[in-house]
Amino acid sequence: MLLSILAVSRAEAGVLVHIDKSLQRMAVSVDGAMRYSWPVSTGRRGYGTPNGVFHPQMMARRWYSKKYYNSPMPHSIFFYGGFAIHGTNDLARLGGPASHGCVRLHPSHAAALYALVERQRGSTRIEITN
């Protein structure tokens, strides 16, 4: 019985990254406990950030956009095709739609999230809502 309770607890454990596009905020929970709440920038008009439930597909500490002018995308967590959560230097635009569809974060927040997801990649869930 104890073994099955531990198995259920481990299955529910992990990292939940919730991005609310209407608020332009990211909330990060670990094992059900709120850890971070940060402003983000999602896709601006004409460049939507997809809604849905995703999982990390690929991660890169240093990445440059092949599509948009070789723009730096530090601490990238790709979750759907070319869409990623990553750091940005355009800090003044955090908190409002500004990207080509990616989810942008302050560089220090992107680094913290990257380290957290790197440790628990298999148990990370990314939820994006309007």
Side-chain angles (χ1 to χ4, degrees):
M1 180 69 170
L2 179 59
L3 188 57
S4 64
I5 292 170
L6 290 174
V8 169
S9 296
R10 285 193 184 113
E12 294 171 359
V15 177
L16 173 61
V17 179
H18 180 82
I19 298 147
D20 185 323
K21 295 189 297 186
S22 66
L23 297 176
Q24 293 293 293
R25 301 276 317 168
M26 173 187 291
V28 181
S29 299
V30 179
D31 298 337
M34 177 64 91
R35 175 85 55 99
Y36 303 113
S37 177
W38 295 316
V40 297
S41 288
T42 60
R44 66 180 188 250
R45 188 180 309 263
Y47 296 95
T49 301
N51 288 339
V53 176
F54 308 96
H55 300 278
Q57 294 178 338
M58 185 182 93
M59 296 178 65
R61 285 187 196 283
R62 290 186 202 100
W63 192 262
Y64 296 88
S65 172
K66 293 173 180 69
K67 190 171 182 179
Y68 296 108
Y69 323 108
N70 211 31
S71 298
M73 300 168 58
H75 295 101
S76 289
I77 302 169
F78 288 87
F79 60 87
Y80 180 74
F83 293 94
I85 300 168
H86 63 80
T88 183
N89 292 325
D90 195 359
L91 303 181
R93 297 181 72 187
L94 289 174
S99 77
H100 286 103
C102 286
V103 179
R104 297 178 182 174
L105 285 169
H106 187 283
S108 64
H109 299 161
L113 180 65
Y114 187 93
L116 186 61
V117 171
E118 189 173 45
R119 287 190 304 271
Q120 297 192 43
R121 184 172 178 176
S123 62
T124 296
R125 178 181 168 105
I126 300 166
E127 298 177 352
I128 304 175
T129 60
N130 277 337

